[in-house]
Amino acid sequence: MSFAELTGEFFLSLLGQGDAAQATINAILGACLAGLTCGALGSFIILRRMSLFADMLGHAVLPGVAVGFILAGSKSTPALLLGSLAAGLLAAALTRAITSYSPIKDDASLGITLSLFYAIGIWLLSWITRAGPELSSQSSGLNHYLFGNPAIIQTVDLVFLVSAAVVVLALLRLFFKELTASIFDPAFTVSIGLSPRIFDGLLLVLLTLVIVVSLKILGVILVAALLVIPPATAYLLTDRLGRMIALSAFLGALSGFGGVYLDFVFGIGVGPAIVCLAFLWLMTAFLASPHHGVLGRYLLQKKLELKTLRENLLTSAWRIGERGGELTAIPIGELASERGEEPSATRVLARRMNGSGWGRFEKDLLVLNSAGQERACALMRGHRLWEIFLQREASLAPDHVHAGAEEIEHFLDSETLLELEALLDNPETDPHGKTIPPGHSKGRTP
Amino acid sequence: MSCLPPRFWPGLAATELWFDWEIDTWPLLMALLVAMSCGLLGAVFLVRRTALLGDAVSHSVLPGIAGGLLLAGIVLENNDHVFGASATMLFVLGGALAAGLASTMLIEALHKYSRIKPDTALGAVFPAFFAVGVILIRLAARDAHFDQDCVFYGSLEVIGELNQVIPTLACSILVVIFFLCFYKEILISSFDSQFAGTLGLPVGLVNLLLTSLLALAVVVAFEAVGAILVIALLIIPAATAQLISSRFDRVLLLSALFGLSAAFFGSWMTVLLEVVGFETARAPTVAVFAGLQFLLALVFSPAQGLLAQAWRKRALESRILEENLLGSIYRLSGGVSSQGFRLKEIAAPLGYPPGKLGGALRRCRARGELDVDRETFSLSARGRERIAGIIRGHRLWESYMIHEMGAASDHVHDAADYIEHHLQPGLVKELEELLGNPDLDPHGSEIPGAEGAGA
């Protein structure tokens, strides 16, 4: 069947009746719920620097699944959940014990617990699959806990997923302030009489709970991905914690839905598809996020470079004007000799003044309008005030202050200028004896 | 033939409790080789505090392995019999190295060029690579090239001939040769890579070789123990060794040894468990045995074990109790008389219930540091000698705190009380020289002479 046909069938099956449709709907509900809950909780996890801990816990619940199965004698969901909850908490305790009582470092102890618990889980599973008919006949599908498989999601699993989502979201809402404080300012949390360890404990319990209910969808190895990748994506897109949580939960649910769809069409397995999709969002955000993406920051940097280049032309023009030249239209030749460049190079730069709103390049002249002249005046004033500041307040030698001022002139806003004026008593001349251009109240020509 | 008492295991032959060499030789050899090279490499990465690199590589080479298999299936379709397994192996190795490298670079880029923290970058990239690997493996398994379960369980059991062990053997030999040739470089660059650089050692080359060997070891281990269990062999024997010793050469050797013993006894355990009807896969059993060794070392290691720590703590506590007991008698007697005191009187200044001193009292008496006269205890010459040194340290420390640290004279006693049990003779000597051998402490009490019991 073609891609389009399969897509059509996927959406038709959502409207249909019968077991197949029910299974697809269950899978979608399960995957979306898991994505939502993991995404919301994951925001706290990555900010609390517990990403690797979550990865460890994901692997470490496996023996709990196996033991739960052995004790219950069947794939009874509550037994498996209880088993994995116990295994997760035990693993957390072991990690803590290893770091507290031995010279082994944090990351190594995570690795030890992860591999030890995982090995025990696999060991027990290998026994279950080889054991006598009474166990192994029941055990088919236990492998789904390794890769995950939402096709086996039943109503009881959905009930657990919904309850976990409600509990997690309610607790996060209830302790939002405290959790935020304990993540961003542990010292403050202590000072208001709360121990950050309580909230670490809360996060640990919620983490185990979420991992356990999401296992059937993602499997032990991939479950941590949904706790780390959507929040990391959201972290690149917003600076506000509330929005980050909402965005991350949305991305998690979206990946869940998309994963079920991709599996339906391509048959590549739901868990891996969800993770790949989530990772795709992360890569997109990494490249294209407006503020924190590689592309966005590149554009921002280019914009800043252009502004600096234009402003440097303005200050050069001002210096020419100071020596009695014309400030409205500066010949490129004069500008080039002031800047110590070839006129051809200056011409290239001057062309980039077009579109700045300060002036334009015209008939081998740099023509400045009144806004450009005003900006040049402000830049020069800032430059020279800063030189005085460096000399008087930072005690630098007069011949060492130019470079610092050259850089900062582009970033001095009017408020800082006013402060500098007040601090320096409105000086008339700079350390090199040059006149400081007047502020806004007085005339603007040199 | 049977040498076991039949009443324990009726109908059981001794041969069933030992390896059946016809079947078990190659799997055991494979396990030993994999465990040894993983043990050696893992120890270096653990000491370098990059223990999770093994975790990283083992998750992220999966797409490389699967991709290599798929590609080999496409490229070598017609002339499979010409190149055979070795050509496929090259594809797999190449793919694994490329995937390992790509994941490392991606992690680096994620936290270098964005605000994402390094641990989050790790936690995001591994599962993503693993997920891609799982998808590729599904595609490969569709063409029946590949057994999915071996990703998790390993397939030590199916190794039946020497040919299958040869890549692992080659890898292990490479690892051993590398360690023999570059031991010095590995050692120095692990602890002080800048220093190694100033010595002109090829740090970059050593690191590159180490990482490549790690990827190689993970790839050859993949067939034997699966993608994830290899982490256990990389980290756990190395951590066990670190619990026993802190010397680099010993950690390396012990780590390899613990790997070997886990492989041997783990394999044997599989045989034994099978006898009692507990049939398990071999690779996870090896990993579980490695974990067992770790837990044993965590408790029983002579240097760092929990028991040794508890024992040292207990010894220190009893010594402090004894010294407090003797010190209390010394102070009550004013340092000179050999007057005796009741237990209640001795305990009162220390704020202890008298019962708490019972053990210390017994030990001091046994060593002849106390004279007993009916219900009262006094210091013997030996006891006086022992405690005078402590009191001397205490009072010198008080003088030091007042003269050199400018502490108020009513603030120094508690600190001195604490430190008196930990002052070494060398430090006491330094204090004497610094303070000009004073006779009286800031409270006007006499400082006992260095030679023992004072006046």
Side-chain angles (χ1 to χ4, degrees), chain B residues 375-429:
Chain B
E375 289 286 287
T376 65
F377 303 93
S378 60
L379 292 174
S380 69
R382 187 184 288 180
R384 192 180 296 275
E385 188 180 341
R386 176 175 177 198
I387 197 58
I390 305 289
I391 298 280
R392 180 172 172 76
H394 178 105
R395 292 186 176 160
L396 279 172
W397 188 258
E398 286 184 338
S399 311
Y400 172 74
M401 282 186 73
I402 289 169
H403 296 310
E404 306 291 323
M405 293 163 66
S409 62
D410 54 343
H411 274 63
V412 295
H413 180 77
D414 288 342
D417 234 11
Y418 170 76
I419 207 151
E420 62 179 22
H421 308 291
H422 306 285
L423 284 174
Q424 305 290 325
L427 196 62
V428 172
K429 196 152 207 128

Side-chain angles (χ1 to χ4, degrees), chain A residues 256-267:
Chain A
F257 178 79
V260 176
Y261 162 70
L262 284 180
D263 176 57
F264 191 91
V265 176
F266 298 109

Side-chain angles (χ1 to χ4, degrees), chain A residues 35-226:
Chain A
L36 181 96
T37 323
C38 286
L41 181 66
S43 304
F44 290 99
I45 300 302
I46 70 160
L47 290 172
R48 190 73 189 86
R49 312 295 295 268
M50 286 165 80
S51 313
L52 293 174
F53 186 77
D55 188 40
M56 183 280 285
L57 268 187
H59 288 73
V61 293
L62 188 60
V65 173
V67 170
F69 172 77
I70 293 169
L71 290 183
S74 70
K75 290 199 302 288
S76 128
T77 307
L80 302 193
L81 290 189
L82 274 180
S84 23
L85 204 59
L89 296 179
L90 202 63
L94 180 65
T95 314
R96 208 186 165 79
I98 292 175
T99 30
S100 322
Y101 298 114
S102 83
I104 292 165
K105 300 290 171 301
D106 277 355
D107 60 335
S109 86
L110 281 178
I112 291 166
T113 321
L114 178 153
S115 51
L116 175 60
F117 273 66
Y118 177 82
I120 295 175
I122 287 288
W123 183 57
L124 291 173
L125 279 188
S126 81
W127 172 61
I128 291 170
T129 49
R130 283 149 207 248
E134 71 277 10
L135 265 184
S136 55
S137 67
Q138 286 281 329
S139 74
S140 65
L142 214 55
N143 267 354
H144 293 309
Y145 284 89
L146 293 172
F147 284 130
N149 184 3
I152 54 166
I153 295 286
Q154 290 152 358
T155 320
V156 58
D157 299 309
L158 286 179
V159 169
F160 278 114
L161 273 162
V162 171
S163 334
V166 169
V167 168
V168 168
L169 294 179
L171 282 175
L172 289 184
R173 182 77 200 84
L174 196 61
F175 292 112
F176 184 75
K177 272 188 204 157
E178 288 83 352
L179 279 169
T180 314
S182 80
I183 285 169
F184 292 108
D185 198 343
F188 171 71
T189 323
V190 176
S191 77
I192 58 172
L194 296 167
S195 161
R197 284 176 65 177
I198 295 175
F199 298 105
D200 281 354
L202 177 67
L203 283 182
L204 166 68
V205 173
L206 292 184
L207 192 57
T208 320
L209 184 70
V210 167
I211 285 175
V212 165
V213 297
S214 313
L215 269 191
K216 268 194 179 173
I217 316 240
L218 285 150
V220 290
I221 301 173
L222 295 179
V223 67
L226 214 48

Side-chain angles (χ1 to χ4, degrees), chain B residues 166-442:
Chain B
I166 282 179
T168 314
L169 187 65
C171 167
S172 312
I173 292 174
L174 265 181
V175 170
V176 170
I177 290 178
F178 174 71
F179 273 89
L180 289 178
C181 294
F182 288 99
Y183 175 73
K184 187 178 69 187
E185 283 82 358
I186 299 170
L187 170 69
I188 300 177
S189 64
S190 295
F191 288 96
D192 196 338
S193 65
Q194 284 183 344
F195 176 60
T198 61
L199 287 182
L201 297 177
V203 181
L205 179 71
V206 168
N207 289 347
L208 184 71
L209 283 175
L210 267 175
T211 318
S212 311
L213 279 177
L214 178 67
L216 183 68
V218 168
V219 174
V220 298
F222 176 78
E223 207 186 350
V225 298
I228 313 290
L229 282 175
V230 65
I231 306 169
L233 293 182
L234 279 168
I235 296 189
I236 297 181
T240 317
Q242 217 183 24
L243 287 175
I244 309 278
S245 175
S246 44
R247 283 188 46 157
F248 188 62
D249 51 351
R250 287 185 198 157
V251 169
L252 275 185
L253 274 180
L254 281 172
S255 174
L257 275 179
F258 283 129
L260 286 171
S261 70
F264 182 80
F265 289 109
S267 300
W268 192 23
M269 199 158 102
T270 327
V271 175
L272 290 180
L273 286 174
E274 208 176 320
V275 172
V276 296
F278 195 84
E279 198 179 332
T280 55
R282 199 162 278 203
T285 319
V286 168
V288 168
F289 199 87
L292 213 60
Q293 288 181 157
F294 173 79
L295 292 179
L296 284 176
L298 189 65
V299 178
F300 295 108
S301 155
Q304 311 276 3
L306 295 182
L307 275 186
Q309 281 181 39
W311 177 256
R312 278 200 296 270
K313 192 168 168 227
R314 228 187 97 90
L316 179 68
E317 273 166 6
S318 3
R319 183 165 68 78
I320 289 176
L321 272 181
E322 290 165 24
E323 288 173 0
N324 282 345
L325 166 78
L326 297 175
S328 181
I329 302 177
Y330 183 91
R331 288 198 176 85
L332 286 170
S333 65
V336 280
S337 71
S338 51
Q339 191 188 343
F341 297 92
R342 291 170 173 282
L343 185 55
K344 220 190 235 161
E345 294 171 296
I346 298 169
L350 296 170
Y352 292 158
K356 194 175 172 181
L357 288 174
L361 205 61
R362 212 171 45 243
R363 287 190 298 274
C364 288
R365 272 183 68 182
R367 278 201 292 269
E369 289 162 352
L370 286 179
D371 291 333
V372 188
D373 182 18
R374 272 168 301 177
E375 289 286 287
T376 65
F377 303 93
S378 60
L379 292 174
S380 69
R382 187 184 288 180
R384 192 180 296 275
E385 188 180 341
R386 176 175 177 198
I387 197 58
I390 305 289
I391 298 280
R392 180 172 172 76
H394 178 105
R395 292 186 176 160
L396 279 172
W397 188 258
E398 286 184 338
S399 311
Y400 172 74
M401 282 186 73
I402 289 169
H403 296 310
E404 306 291 323
M405 293 163 66
S409 62
D410 54 343
H411 274 63
V412 295
H413 180 77
D414 288 342
D417 234 11
Y418 170 76
I419 207 151
E420 62 179 22
H421 308 291
H422 306 285
L423 284 174
Q424 305 290 325
L427 196 62
V428 172
K429 196 152 207 128
E430 261 183 69
L431 282 175
E432 281 167 10
E433 281 164 16
L434 187 72
L435 301 167
N437 245 331
D439 291 330
L440 293 179
D441 82 350

